[in-house]
Amino acid sequence: MSEPSIFTRILQGEIPGEIVAQNERVFVLRDIHPQAPVHLLVIPKTQEYANVAELAAGDPALLAEVVAMAQKVAAEHADGDFRLIFNSGAGAGQTVFHVHAHVLAGGLEEKKLVG
């Protein structure tokens, strides 16, 4: 078995982290280096999947839970509008290989992406 990821260690209380929501299979942390006024990480409690493609292939229902939780916390912590980002691979900026989604909201109107 691989070493516990930083997210697993936070979930287990080994290192500090601000958990703002959770259910049986997913939890949400406030990002320690926010890129927007609201920057939350939605993380499956299992570290079985390294990236979103693996999660989609291995447990599509869990991926749906991640997206639903993202919508829920965006409604609670912002106005409900949000950006949902999955980085897949080191070349795309992924630094923790335990799949997670970034929920960004607030102050993004000047940083719009086309498409």
PDB file of all heavy atoms in Angstrom, residues 30 34-40 73-74 77-78 103-106:
ATOM      1  N   ARG A  30     -10.470  23.844   2.856  1.00  0.00           N
ATOM      2  CA  ARG A  30     -10.127  25.179   2.368  1.00  0.00           C
ATOM      3  C   ARG A  30      -8.671  25.110   1.875  1.00  0.00           C
ATOM      4  O   ARG A  30      -7.802  24.588   2.569  1.00  0.00           O
ATOM      5  CB  ARG A  30     -10.268  26.196   3.502  1.00  0.00           C
ATOM      6  CG  ARG A  30     -10.271  27.622   3.025  1.00  0.00           C
ATOM      7  CD  ARG A  30     -10.674  28.578   4.125  1.00  0.00           C
ATOM      8  NE  ARG A  30     -11.968  28.322   4.726  1.00  0.00           N
ATOM      9  CZ  ARG A  30     -13.149  28.686   4.219  1.00  0.00           C
ATOM     10  NH1 ARG A  30     -13.196  29.309   3.071  1.00  0.00           N
ATOM     11  NH2 ARG A  30     -14.267  28.426   4.868  1.00  0.00           N
ATOM     12  N   PRO A  34      -4.977  29.963  -1.618  1.00  0.00           N
ATOM     13  CA  PRO A  34      -6.140  30.248  -2.460  1.00  0.00           C
ATOM     14  C   PRO A  34      -5.811  31.075  -3.698  1.00  0.00           C
ATOM     15  O   PRO A  34      -5.002  31.998  -3.633  1.00  0.00           O
ATOM     16  CB  PRO A  34      -7.082  30.994  -1.522  1.00  0.00           C
ATOM     17  CG  PRO A  34      -6.232  31.521  -0.435  1.00  0.00           C
ATOM     18  CD  PRO A  34      -5.083  30.571  -0.298  1.00  0.00           C
ATOM     19  N   GLN A  35      -6.462  30.707  -4.794  1.00  0.00           N
ATOM     20  CA  GLN A  35      -6.308  31.410  -6.059  1.00  0.00           C
ATOM     21  C   GLN A  35      -7.540  32.265  -6.371  1.00  0.00           C
ATOM     22  O   GLN A  35      -7.614  32.862  -7.442  1.00  0.00           O
ATOM     23  CB  GLN A  35      -6.093  30.394  -7.195  1.00  0.00           C
ATOM     24  CG  GLN A  35      -4.889  29.501  -6.984  1.00  0.00           C
ATOM     25  CD  GLN A  35      -3.593  30.278  -6.918  1.00  0.00           C
ATOM     26  OE1 GLN A  35      -3.288  31.059  -7.804  1.00  0.00           O
ATOM     27  NE2 GLN A  35      -2.838  30.084  -5.852  1.00  0.00           N
ATOM     28  N   ALA A  36      -8.505  32.300  -5.455  1.00  0.00           N
ATOM     29  CA  ALA A  36      -9.729  33.085  -5.585  1.00  0.00           C
ATOM     30  C   ALA A  36     -10.265  33.317  -4.172  1.00  0.00           C
ATOM     31  O   ALA A  36      -9.840  32.642  -3.230  1.00  0.00           O
ATOM     32  CB  ALA A  36     -10.748  32.321  -6.432  1.00  0.00           C
ATOM     33  N   PRO A  37     -11.196  34.260  -4.005  1.00  0.00           N
ATOM     34  CA  PRO A  37     -11.758  34.488  -2.671  1.00  0.00           C
ATOM     35  C   PRO A  37     -12.326  33.209  -2.038  1.00  0.00           C
ATOM     36  O   PRO A  37     -12.207  33.014  -0.830  1.00  0.00           O
ATOM     37  CB  PRO A  37     -12.849  35.526  -2.922  1.00  0.00           C
ATOM     38  CG  PRO A  37     -12.333  36.300  -4.103  1.00  0.00           C
ATOM     39  CD  PRO A  37     -11.675  35.255  -4.971  1.00  0.00           C
ATOM     40  N   VAL A  38     -12.948  32.358  -2.825  1.00  0.00           N
ATOM     41  CA  VAL A  38     -13.381  31.040  -2.361  1.00  0.00           C
ATOM     42  C   VAL A  38     -12.571  30.018  -3.145  1.00  0.00           C
ATOM     43  O   VAL A  38     -12.626  29.985  -4.381  1.00  0.00           O
ATOM     44  CB  VAL A  38     -14.894  30.808  -2.590  1.00  0.00           C
ATOM     45  CG1 VAL A  38     -15.281  29.379  -2.222  1.00  0.00           C
ATOM     46  CG2 VAL A  38     -15.715  31.821  -1.811  1.00  0.00           C
ATOM     47  N   HIS A  39     -11.776  29.228  -2.448  1.00  0.00           N
ATOM     48  CA  HIS A  39     -10.977  28.175  -3.088  1.00  0.00           C
ATOM     49  C   HIS A  39     -11.013  26.973  -2.160  1.00  0.00           C
ATOM     50  O   HIS A  39     -10.343  26.937  -1.132  1.00  0.00           O
ATOM     51  CB  HIS A  39      -9.549  28.638  -3.331  1.00  0.00           C
ATOM     52  CG  HIS A  39      -8.739  27.672  -4.140  1.00  0.00           C
ATOM     53  ND1 HIS A  39      -7.526  28.031  -4.700  1.00  0.00           N
ATOM     54  CD2 HIS A  39      -8.948  26.384  -4.505  1.00  0.00           C
ATOM     55  CE1 HIS A  39      -7.028  26.987  -5.358  1.00  0.00           C
ATOM     56  NE2 HIS A  39      -7.887  25.964  -5.242  1.00  0.00           N
ATOM     57  N   LEU A  40     -11.847  26.020  -2.547  1.00  0.00           N
ATOM     58  CA  LEU A  40     -12.049  24.816  -1.756  1.00  0.00           C
ATOM     59  C   LEU A  40     -11.620  23.603  -2.566  1.00  0.00           C
ATOM     60  O   LEU A  40     -11.687  23.618  -3.794  1.00  0.00           O
ATOM     61  CB  LEU A  40     -13.523  24.689  -1.369  1.00  0.00           C
ATOM     62  CG  LEU A  40     -14.116  25.880  -0.619  1.00  0.00           C
ATOM     63  CD1 LEU A  40     -15.633  25.740  -0.497  1.00  0.00           C
ATOM     64  CD2 LEU A  40     -13.480  26.025   0.748  1.00  0.00           C
ATOM     65  N   VAL A  73     -21.077  23.202  -1.754  1.00  0.00           N
ATOM     66  CA  VAL A  73     -20.217  24.146  -1.031  1.00  0.00           C
ATOM     67  C   VAL A  73     -20.133  25.490  -1.739  1.00  0.00           C
ATOM     68  O   VAL A  73     -19.981  26.523  -1.087  1.00  0.00           O
ATOM     69  CB  VAL A  73     -18.814  23.562  -0.723  1.00  0.00           C
ATOM     70  CG1 VAL A  73     -18.935  22.367   0.210  1.00  0.00           C
ATOM     71  CG2 VAL A  73     -18.024  23.235  -1.964  1.00  0.00           C
ATOM     72  N   ALA A  74     -20.258  25.503  -3.068  1.00  0.00           N
ATOM     73  CA  ALA A  74     -20.289  26.784  -3.789  1.00  0.00           C
ATOM     74  C   ALA A  74     -21.538  27.571  -3.407  1.00  0.00           C
ATOM     75  O   ALA A  74     -21.486  28.796  -3.255  1.00  0.00           O
ATOM     76  CB  ALA A  74     -20.237  26.554  -5.293  1.00  0.00           C
ATOM     77  N   HIS A  77     -20.744  28.810   0.294  1.00  0.00           N
ATOM     78  CA  HIS A  77     -19.606  29.708   0.517  1.00  0.00           C
ATOM     79  C   HIS A  77     -19.499  30.831  -0.500  1.00  0.00           C
ATOM     80  O   HIS A  77     -18.637  31.709  -0.347  1.00  0.00           O
ATOM     81  CB  HIS A  77     -18.300  28.901   0.538  1.00  0.00           C
ATOM     82  CG  HIS A  77     -18.217  27.958   1.686  1.00  0.00           C
ATOM     83  ND1 HIS A  77     -17.655  28.301   2.890  1.00  0.00           N
ATOM     84  CD2 HIS A  77     -18.660  26.683   1.841  1.00  0.00           C
ATOM     85  CE1 HIS A  77     -17.737  27.282   3.729  1.00  0.00           C
ATOM     86  NE2 HIS A  77     -18.355  26.283   3.113  1.00  0.00           N
ATOM     87  N   ALA A  78     -20.330  30.804  -1.528  1.00  0.00           N
ATOM     88  CA  ALA A  78     -20.311  31.841  -2.565  1.00  0.00           C
ATOM     89  C   ALA A  78     -21.756  32.023  -3.041  1.00  0.00           C
ATOM     90  O   ALA A  78     -22.693  31.641  -2.347  1.00  0.00           O
ATOM     91  CB  ALA A  78     -19.378  31.427  -3.708  1.00  0.00           C
ATOM     92  N   VAL A 103     -12.655  24.065  -6.309  1.00  0.00           N
ATOM     93  CA  VAL A 103     -13.846  24.890  -6.470  1.00  0.00           C
ATOM     94  C   VAL A 103     -13.393  26.329  -6.273  1.00  0.00           C
ATOM     95  O   VAL A 103     -12.917  26.690  -5.191  1.00  0.00           O
ATOM     96  CB  VAL A 103     -14.935  24.532  -5.434  1.00  0.00           C
ATOM     97  CG1 VAL A 103     -16.122  25.487  -5.546  1.00  0.00           C
ATOM     98  CG2 VAL A 103     -15.367  23.091  -5.586  1.00  0.00           C
ATOM     99  N   LEU A 104     -13.508  27.134  -7.319  1.00  0.00           N
ATOM    100  CA  LEU A 104     -13.119  28.536  -7.268  1.00  0.00           C
ATOM    101  C   LEU A 104     -14.358  29.391  -7.471  1.00  0.00           C
ATOM    102  O   LEU A 104     -15.165  29.132  -8.378  1.00  0.00           O
ATOM    103  CB  LEU A 104     -12.094  28.857  -8.358  1.00  0.00           C
ATOM    104  CG  LEU A 104     -10.809  28.039  -8.341  1.00  0.00           C
ATOM    105  CD1 LEU A 104      -9.981  28.323  -9.580  1.00  0.00           C
ATOM    106  CD2 LEU A 104     -10.010  28.321  -7.099  1.00  0.00           C
ATOM    107  N   ALA A 105     -14.498  30.425  -6.655  1.00  0.00           N
ATOM    108  CA  ALA A 105     -15.652  31.319  -6.777  1.00  0.00           C
ATOM    109  C   ALA A 105     -15.304  32.683  -6.216  1.00  0.00           C
ATOM    110  O   ALA A 105     -14.396  32.826  -5.406  1.00  0.00           O
ATOM    111  CB  ALA A 105     -16.855  30.738  -6.030  1.00  0.00           C
ATOM    112  N   GLY A 106     -16.046  33.669  -6.658  1.00  0.00           N
ATOM    113  CA  GLY A 106     -15.854  35.033  -6.177  1.00  0.00           C
ATOM    114  C   GLY A 106     -14.665  35.702  -6.825  1.00  0.00           C
ATOM    115  O   GLY A 106     -13.598  35.127  -6.915  1.00  0.00           O
TER     116      GLY A 106
END
